[in-house]
Amino acid sequence: CGGIYCLEAGASGNTNALRANLEAEDALIDGSTFPDASDLMSDILNIDVSPGTSYSDNLKKINILINRAARIGNSFALYVLNKNIRPLARAIAATEVQYNPGKFYIIGGFAQNLGDIFLDILITNLLGIGIMDRSQEDIENLVQLGTKLPGLKGALAAALRKI
């Protein structure tokens, strides 16, 4: 869900929007890295990310732009998403190796809105990390999108197993 104590806090929608803003600024200076994305990056940079009354709404606007662009394969949008989701993959891998909960439910709205795009990037990163030589099928079964209720039930079940 991206909350401060959630495993995936670093992969939240807010983090994604802020990362998109920073990456767009850098990429526009370079000019050659994402030739298909100059309009997207300009649109992102035209949205104010300064703290204030519109801050949350503006971050949502950036994520809407990124989500739409990712769905059509925009290289910049997919780059930002990959950079944003990679820390979550590392946290899942470390938690799985240490505690072996067996299943991770991704319950945040950011992930829910991206759906399979989010899962595909997450699984690709998990496969790249390698979790104790687990197969691709094992990794694919390790993570799924869920609602808050199954996620909380899973957390409770894991806690009770450790007691």
Side-chain angles (χ1 to χ4, degrees):
C1 66
I4 193 165
Y5 296 109
C6 284
L7 181 62
E8 80 233 53
S12 70
N14 287 352
T15 303
N16 188 72
L18 293 169
R19 184 183 309 273
N21 182 273
L22 291 171
E23 295 289 344
E25 191 171 352
D26 290 345
L28 276 176
I29 291 169
D30 177 18
S32 63
T33 309
F34 303 102
D36 66 331
S38 60
D39 289 344
L40 172 62
M41 292 185 290
S42 294
D43 289 346
I44 288 169
L45 289 173
N46 284 328
I47 298 173
D48 182 23
V49 293
S50 303
T53 56
S54 300
Y55 180 73
S56 188
D57 289 338
N58 287 348
L59 295 182
K60 287 177 186 174
K61 289 176 188 175
I62 291 173
N63 279 327
I64 289 169
L65 291 173
I66 291 291
N67 290 358
R68 286 181 185 158
R71 291 183 195 292
I72 59 171
N74 180 282
S75 61
F76 176 74
L78 293 171
Y79 170 80
V80 168
L81 291 171
N82 186 58
K83 282 192 82 168
N84 196 53
I85 295 169
R86 187 178 303 136
L88 173 60
R90 287 185 187 131
I92 287 173
T95 304
E96 178 62 15
V97 168
Q98 184 71 28
Y99 301 107
N100 192 26
K103 182 65 92 176
F104 292 81
Y105 294 98
I106 312 301
I107 60 173
F110 173 66
Q112 296 291 325
N113 288 333
L114 281 165
D116 286 341
I117 293 170
F118 187 95
L119 282 179
D120 290 345
I121 293 170
L122 178 59
I123 290 166
T124 298
N125 275 280
L126 285 167
L127 289 168
I129 293 168
I131 303 175
M132 297 171 53
D133 299 322
R134 295 209 181 147
S135 71
Q136 181 168 343
E137 183 180 356
D138 289 343
I139 298 297
E140 290 172 353
N141 290 326
L142 184 65
V143 294
Q144 76 178 55
L145 295 176
T147 63
K148 288 190 181 200
L149 186 57
L152 294 175
K153 283 182 180 178
L156 177 60
L160 290 174
R161 280 196 312 259
K162 301 298 178 187
I163 294 178

